[in-house]
């Protein structure tokens, strides 16, 4: 998300770094590029004017123009103003009632029902509670069934009544059931419309008045630009929203709605929907988002993504195993399987500082067929016996041949996988006893080795459109070996 905005801002800062001396004139040129980037991202014109007035006032002061690194000072100013523009968000959810009622509303197609499931998953993961989902959308025929399927996949109860036509009665009955079954949170999935109309607003007002939810969240589609901001304003006028959940930010959203909604409506963004899976929801942090927009990454979100891969019991077991030096190929496979989740590698790379924008990351990952490579690595390990996975040193040429046949790869690729495992094992087991700083340095070393082409990560066979003859295969193998030797020489000469 925000690729064009990120590229535009980077271009503005780069233009200033190239100046021998920074003057008010070329600073204004750089600020004009910042303003153009915001316009192209579909940010509200009123928001741009207010934002640029504050940035310009600070950027043209003597403190910046006479600084040793004025362009870095400008980045700092833009970052701080972005944080101010996006926040503050306010306190976290206070779930201190016997039954806490969260009402979700929004237009059809915004992802409201799916977001109810995502929020339930977030409460399970972060607050360790089991909420009750309430199917109060009686307008869309498939809404009840969709919520029921989501609840079943999460192990979360869902209240619905297909015979009842009054959503207020459905909501009241759901709250009563939650109280009886000691579910501390009820999430109400209310009806939507294709557009805002009087009937929709009256129904939502009635639910709000009669059920008295503790929180009212509006779900908006981040790809609709300023239309999302307008709908947020209309819903807030009718319901007094506690926050916005912005969805579909994993697509090509330009970012205008996200940057505009708080300033225009006064309603803070509370959560972000960043994918199709139920895990793909984030608690919104203005500082983290400002950092991402400027291409500086978001290490807090990255750590959260890594933590979500494994539960607490598995983390504890892995830490104990690493401290004892017991990192097996089974552990290696389990981590690879989790990383193979569609879009996860791209998302985590996008949170690293200094990485290219998401479209470039996707192109890079697609060229390398990374998810296929990971699945291939898992297939190789699955073709090993339990004894071989515990002690790969016993894998001799005959065993290697058997594993290769079982996983549909060449014996050489089995050897490459074992070499990679042998490289990672001492680094990971050594990290178990390190402090945070040393561990981060070790992770950087590990990352650079993983991304080194000369290390020979198992390659996925690509379709060429025709079968290669034995002679052509042999020629390709020679060329590949030649490229690897060149890479090794270049690395050695550095």
């Amino acid at each position: 998300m925000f690729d064009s905005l990120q590229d535009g801002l980077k271009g503005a800062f780069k233009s200033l770094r190239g100046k021998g001396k920074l003057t008010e004139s070329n600073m204004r040129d750089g600020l004009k590029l910042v303003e153009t980037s915001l316009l192209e991202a579909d940010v509200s014109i009123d928001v741009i004017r207010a934002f640029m007035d504050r940035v310009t006032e600070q950027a043209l002061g003597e403190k910046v123009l006479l600084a040793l690194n004025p362009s870095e000072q400008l980045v700092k100013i833009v970052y701080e103003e972005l944080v101010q523009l996006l926040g503050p968000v306010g306190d976290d959810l206070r779930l201190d009632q016997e039954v806490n009622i969260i009402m979700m509303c929004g237009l059809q197609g915004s992802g409201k029902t799916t977001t109810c499931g995502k929020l339930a998953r977030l409460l399970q993961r972060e607050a360790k509670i089991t909420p009750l989902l309430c199917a109060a959308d009686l307008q869309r025929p498939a809404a009840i069934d969709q919520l029921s399927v989501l609840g079943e996949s999460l192990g979360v109860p869902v209240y619905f009544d297909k015979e009842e036509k009054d959503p207020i009665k459905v909501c009241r009955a759901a709250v009563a059931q939650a109280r009886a079954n000691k579910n501390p949170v009820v999430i109400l999935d209310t009806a939507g419309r294709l557009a805002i109309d009087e009937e929709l607003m009256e129904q939502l007002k009635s639910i709000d008045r009669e059920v008295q939810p503790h929180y009212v969240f509006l779900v908006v589609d981040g790809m609709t630009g300023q239309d999302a901001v307008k709908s947020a304003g209309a819903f807030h006028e009718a319901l007094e929203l506690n926050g916005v959940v912005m969805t579909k930010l994993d697509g090509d959203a330009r970012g205008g709605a996200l940057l505009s909604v708080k300033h225009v409506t006064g309603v803070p963004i509370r959560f972000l929907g960043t994918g199709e899976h139920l895990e793909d929801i984030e608690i919104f942090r203005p500082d983290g988002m400002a950092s991402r927009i400027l291409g500086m990454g978001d290490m807090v979100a990255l750590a959260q993504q890594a933590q979500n891969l494994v539960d607490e019991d598995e983390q504890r077991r892995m830490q104990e195993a690493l401290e004892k030096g017991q990192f097996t190929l089974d552990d290696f496979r389990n981590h690879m399987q989790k990383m193979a989740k569609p879009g996860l590698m791209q998302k985590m790379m996008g949170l690293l500082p200094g990485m290219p924008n998401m479209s470039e990351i996707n192109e890079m990952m697609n060229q390398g067929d990374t998810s296929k490579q990971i699945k291939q690595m898992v297939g190789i390990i699955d073709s090993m016996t339990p004894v071989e996975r515990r002690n790969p040193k016993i894998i001799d040429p005959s065993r290697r041949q058997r594993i290769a046949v079982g996983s549909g790869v060449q014996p050489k690729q089995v050897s490459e996988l074992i070499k990679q495992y042998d490289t990672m094992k001492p680094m990971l087991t050594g990290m178990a006893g390190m402090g945070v700083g040393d561990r981060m340095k070790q992770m950087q070393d590990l990352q650079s080795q993983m991304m080194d082409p000369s290390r020979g990560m198992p390659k996925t066979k690509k379709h060429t459109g025709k079968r290669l003859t034995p002679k052509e295969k042999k020629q390709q193998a020679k060329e590949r070996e030649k490229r690897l030797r060149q890479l090794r020489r270049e690395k050695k000469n550095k």
Side-chain angles (χ1 to χ4, degrees):
M1 57 183 163
F2 312 143
D3 286 353
S4 61
L5 176 58
Q6 191 179 103
D7 288 343
L9 292 174
K10 283 181 179 178
F13 301 142
K14 186 177 180 180
S15 71
L16 293 173
R17 290 191 193 103
K19 305 294 182 183
K21 181 182 179 183
L22 206 54
T23 65
E24 183 172 335
S25 175
N26 49 38
M27 177 63 88
R28 287 190 183 279
D29 291 339
L31 292 171
K32 190 67 179 174
L33 291 175
V34 172
E35 183 177 12
T36 301
S37 300
L38 294 171
L39 283 167
E40 290 176 349
D42 193 27
V43 179
S44 165
I45 190 66
D46 292 335
V47 174
I48 293 175
R49 286 171 180 160
F51 180 83
M52 291 308 303
D53 284 347
R54 293 194 300 270
V55 171
T56 302
E57 182 181 356
Q58 298 178 66
L60 296 181
E62 287 187 16
K63 183 179 178 182
V64 174
L65 292 175
L66 299 179
L68 291 175
N69 294 300
S71 60
E72 291 182 10
Q73 289 280 349
L74 179 59
V75 173
K76 181 174 180 291
I77 291 169
V78 172
Y79 167 78
E80 290 173 348
E81 289 301 326
L82 281 173
V83 173
Q84 184 68 24
L85 180 65
L86 293 167
V89 171
D91 298 332
D92 293 335
L93 294 181
R94 294 183 179 178
L95 307 177
D96 51 6
Q97 304 296 316
E98 180 188 2
V99 177
N100 301 272
I101 305 169
I102 299 175
M103 176 177 166
M104 308 293 285
C105 54
L107 297 176
Q108 282 186 19
S110 62
K112 176 171 51 62
T113 301
T114 302
T115 299
C116 289
K118 289 182 178 182
L119 185 57
R121 179 69 188 102
L122 184 69
L123 291 171
Q124 283 181 315
R125 190 177 69 217
E126 302 294 333
K128 311 301 180 190
I129 62 175
T130 301
L132 171 72
L133 293 170
C134 171
D137 182 353
L138 308 182
Q139 306 296 321
R140 186 166 63 93
I144 294 175
D145 294 334
Q146 182 185 353
L147 198 66
S148 297
V149 170
L150 290 172
E152 185 177 353
S153 67
L154 291 167
V156 170
V158 178
Y159 179 84
F160 63 89
D161 185 346
K162 292 187 176 181
E163 302 301 320
E164 182 57 64
K165 303 301 180 185
D166 185 352
I168 295 175
K169 291 181 179 179
V170 172
C171 292
R172 282 176 173 167
V175 173
Q177 180 172 307
R179 187 170 286 111
N181 295 341
K182 299 191 183 308
N183 296 110
V185 174
V186 177
I187 301 174
L188 309 178
D189 181 23
T190 63
R193 292 284 193 283
L194 294 174
I196 296 170
D197 60 26
E198 189 175 341
E199 184 183 0
L200 168 66
M201 289 306 183
E202 283 303 318
Q203 184 182 107
L204 294 175
K205 285 180 187 177
S206 297
I207 296 174
D208 187 29
R209 183 171 57 251
E210 299 296 330
V211 183
Q212 296 186 353
H214 301 94
Y215 294 97
V216 180
F217 293 137
L218 174 70
V219 181
V220 297
D221 182 345
M223 296 183 69
T224 59
Q226 292 307 303
D227 285 341
V229 180
K230 292 176 184 176
S231 66
F235 273 92
H236 185 48
E237 187 177 339
L239 295 170
E240 293 189 17
L241 302 172
N242 297 105
V244 168
V245 184
M246 194 157 287
T247 64
K248 304 182 185 179
L249 291 178
D250 54 320
D252 57 355
R254 290 183 290 171
L258 186 139
L259 288 170
S260 304
V261 68
K262 173 69 189 307
H263 180 90
V264 174
T265 68
V267 182
I269 296 171
R270 299 298 294 262
F271 303 99
L272 300 177
T274 58
E276 298 178 359
H277 301 281
L278 291 174
E279 299 282 349
D280 295 334
I281 184 170
E282 298 179 16
I283 298 172
F284 181 69
R285 296 171 32 257
D287 53 342
M289 182 54 64
S291 184
R292 287 188 226 182
I293 289 171
L294 294 175
M296 298 188 294
D298 186 351
M299 297 308 290
V300 174
L302 180 64
Q304 185 64 55
Q305 285 285 343
Q307 187 176 342
N308 291 344
L309 286 176
V310 290
D311 57 32
E312 291 181 4
D313 291 338
E314 190 174 350
Q315 287 180 39
R316 195 179 305 110
R317 186 197 65 77
M318 179 59 70
Q319 180 70 14
E320 292 172 356
L322 288 174
E323 288 173 354
K324 296 175 183 176
Q326 298 171 349
F327 180 73
T328 68
L329 276 167
D330 278 322
D331 297 320
F332 186 58
R333 179 195 58 188
N334 291 340
H335 281 278
M336 289 297 101
Q337 283 180 315
K338 289 181 171 67
M339 293 300 291
K341 181 179 175 182
L344 181 60
M345 285 282 283
Q346 289 93 321
K347 186 182 291 186
M348 294 184 74
M349 288 179 68
L351 295 172
L352 287 168
M355 292 300 289
N357 64 41
M358 191 54 69
S359 62
E360 292 172 337
I361 290 174
N362 287 335
E363 184 179 353
M364 179 174 67
M365 299 288 281
N366 290 335
Q367 286 178 349
D369 288 331
T370 306
S371 62
K372 291 182 181 179
Q373 291 174 10
I374 291 175
K375 289 175 183 176
Q376 192 178 70
M377 294 167 74
V378 171
I380 293 171
I381 297 172
D382 283 343
S383 296
M384 299 177 184
T385 67
V387 175
E388 289 167 344
R389 291 199 290 267
R390 284 194 297 271
N391 182 20
K393 287 185 171 62
I394 68 172
I395 298 177
D396 56 21
S398 63
R399 288 176 182 262
R400 190 181 304 118
Q401 180 66 35
R402 190 203 79 243
I403 294 166
V405 171
S407 55
V409 300
Q410 298 297 317
K412 180 184 176 183
Q413 291 172 279
V414 179
S415 299
E416 289 170 345
L417 172 65
I418 294 171
K419 285 179 184 176
Q420 194 172 37
Y421 163 75
D422 287 338
T423 300
M424 291 179 65
K425 180 179 178 180
M427 296 182 75
L428 288 171
T429 53
M431 283 168 57
M434 291 182 177
V436 176
D438 291 335
R439 191 176 295 186
M440 287 295 289
K441 184 178 185 302
Q442 192 82 328
M443 280 298 291
Q444 289 173 346
D445 293 341
L446 179 60
Q447 181 187 1
S448 64
Q449 292 200 30
M450 288 285 287
M451 299 184 73
D452 182 358
S454 66
R455 298 205 66 83
M457 186 176 183
K459 303 294 189 297
T460 302
K461 184 177 178 181
K462 295 188 178 182
H463 181 59
T464 61
K466 65 182 182 71
R467 285 186 177 275
L468 298 177
T469 65
K471 185 177 179 181
E472 288 172 328
K473 289 179 181 178
K474 189 174 181 180
Q475 182 62 31
Q476 280 194 357
K478 282 184 178 180
E479 291 175 357
R480 189 160 52 246
E481 288 295 329
K482 183 178 178 181
R483 287 198 299 270
L484 287 172
R485 285 197 298 272
Q486 287 175 341
L487 284 167
R488 291 190 188 104
R489 281 198 298 271
E490 290 171 3
K491 187 176 179 181
K492 187 176 180 181
N493 293 332
K494 285 184 180 178

